Amino acid sequence: MELKILVLPGDGIGPEVTREAVRVLEHVADKWGHALTLREGLLGGAAIHAARTPFPDETKALALETDATLLGAVGLPEFDELPPSQRPEKGLLDIRKALDVYANLRPVQAYESLLESSPLKNAIVRGTDILIVRELTGGLYFGQPRGISGSGAGETAVNSMVYRRSEIERVGRMAFDLARKRGKRLTSVDKANVLENSQLWRRTMTRLAADYPDVALDHLLVDNCAMQLILRPSSFDVLVTENLFGDILSDEASVLAGSIGMLPSASIGKRLPNGVWRGLYEPVHGSAPDIAGQGKANPLAAIGSAAAMLQYSFGLLEEAAAVEAAVRRTLAAGRVTADLKPAGEPATTEQVGQAVRNAIDPPRAARG
Ligand code: IPM
Ligand code: MG
């Protein structure tokens, strides 16, 4: 199979973690006999430096002609004082919108070998396996009107939480379909006791449930959900929620996995004419400029995102499973970076990447 991939390393630790993810993809392509075509582009602060915009037209064109994009992270402290429209993060929001990847899949797993890395009690975290489906191209992130006007005590800031029913339906269907392939339980998260927006969300999810009689749907208010995620994480299967709630809950849920350096994500939307799902794959973590370039960053979220790309965009289930199994073996062997609080000396970003590659089983045919 031909795998056409755009790599956007971005800022901070983005380049070093994507390097390891790309090496894993090269290793898989080599072992399974796929042709890998890699392009590289600019996004975020790196793009502002080189092209004075966080999402250059060239990057957009590349992303639209490639099947899947692997992204590192964006954001740099030097841009902290700028308005949202001029920050590196705008590049990330723009590419999500340009690719129309409305469903952001964020799996959260508590690996047995990482239970001690979480500050929560083992008995609570054990067995956790959640898929958060975050709506990614609507809500407060994109709603109009927005902006700051006036001055003095009257200076006023406005953001708008806007969802059309069709936007809720498409991400809702995606979540129901995914729940159907997993534990058949879907929790929809909203703030329907306060927001009209959430009332439409809840009504739409309830209506969709009629098409999925085999999936059990329940609803949680977002504040309660934040608490239940810590009280009884292993009882959840698939969570679906709007953009900002999903952003917040997924960072919280990373505590269950031991470190935010463990969380991969897959953003998907439409299927292309060649049968491939166009997707954007990025770690949930940020650019962590404080540890950039020191070999301390955990590459497993980026490597997990590459595995998700193999799975969702290219349908290469065996290859994706082999990468995931290799990650599990690497964790069990204690080859982890400092964020996971290893008992001994932490491994470097490169050493973890190397350990994952070593642990990938070749396919049966190649094994002879
Ligand atoms: C994420 C990040 C982004 C978001 C930022 C960097 C714009 O926090 O992917 O979760 O808020 O979506
Ligand atoms: Mg976030």
Side-chain angles (χ1 to χ4, degrees), residues 285-323:
H285 64 66
S287 57
D290 52 320
I291 60 161
Q294 301 169 35
K296 290 182 181 167
N298 186 347
L300 292 177
I303 291 172
S305 302
M309 173 189 285
L310 294 171
Q311 177 184 347
Y312 291 107
S313 273
F314 301 115
L316 299 174
L317 304 186
E318 182 181 308
E319 289 85 334
V323 175

Side-chain angles (χ1 to χ4, degrees), residues 74 89 92-93 96 104 106 134 136 141 243 247 250-251 282-284:
V74 298
E89 289 86 344
L92 180 56
L93 304 185
R96 289 171 176 172
N104 179 216
R106 300 188 156 186
R134 167 189 179 195
L136 201 62
Y141 277 64
N243 206 342
D247 178 46
S250 55
D251 263 35
E282 47 168 320
V284 171

Side-chain angles (χ1 to χ4, degrees), residues 46-240:
I48 298 178
H49 286 153
R52 293 210 258 142
T53 164
F55 185 43
D57 288 343
E58 202 187 326
T59 302
K60 183 174 178 181
L62 279 172
L64 287 170
E65 69 187 46
T66 321
D67 297 328
T69 299
L70 180 71
L71 187 83
V74 298
L76 290 173
E78 65 189 271
F79 301 109
D80 274 355
E81 306 307 320
L82 292 179
S85 62
Q86 293 167 31
R87 297 171 59 105
E89 289 86 344
K90 180 74 167 56
L92 180 56
L93 304 185
D94 284 351
I95 192 173
R96 289 171 176 172
K97 197 77 174 172
L99 293 177
D100 200 16
V101 285
Y102 58 82
N104 179 216
L105 283 38
R106 300 188 156 186
V108 183
Q109 265 189 65
Y111 293 96
E112 192 63 29
S113 49
L114 292 185
L115 291 183
E116 286 301 328
S117 302
S118 173
L120 300 171
K121 293 192 174 88
N122 289 1
I124 287 185
V125 175
R126 181 169 282 129
T128 296
D129 181 0
I130 307 174
L131 178 62
I132 298 177
V133 180
R134 167 189 179 195
E135 200 292 325
L136 201 62
T137 52
L140 278 164
Y141 277 64
F142 296 95
Q144 294 290 344
R146 66 183 292 161
I148 301 183
S149 59
S151 60
E155 191 174 11
T156 304
V158 174
N159 288 94
S160 304
M161 193 172 194
V162 182
Y163 274 108
R164 279 193 308 274
R165 190 198 289 173
S166 57
E167 291 174 286
I168 304 172
E169 269 169 7
R170 62 184 188 172
V171 71
R173 287 203 184 275
M174 184 80 83
F176 271 108
D177 285 334
L178 289 161
R180 199 166 244 182
K181 294 194 199 115
R182 293 175 39 112
K184 297 190 167 42
R185 283 175 298 119
L186 177 62
T187 302
S188 172
V189 181
D190 61 38
K191 188 71 186 173
N193 54 347
V194 176
L195 304 174
E196 284 78 5
N197 204 281
S198 284
Q199 293 191 330
L200 181 62
W201 183 278
R202 189 175 285 217
R203 252 196 282 133
T204 305
M205 289 294 161
T206 303
R207 196 171 312 118
L208 283 180
D211 291 345
Y212 299 85
D214 52 326
V215 176
L217 171 72
D218 66 348
H219 304 273
L220 272 186
L221 295 173
V222 62
D223 48 349
N224 187 19
C225 180
M227 181 171 67
Q228 301 301 331
L229 264 179
I230 299 300
L231 287 176
R232 52 172 182 95
S234 63
S235 70
F236 290 101
D237 181 18
V238 180
L239 287 181
V240 62

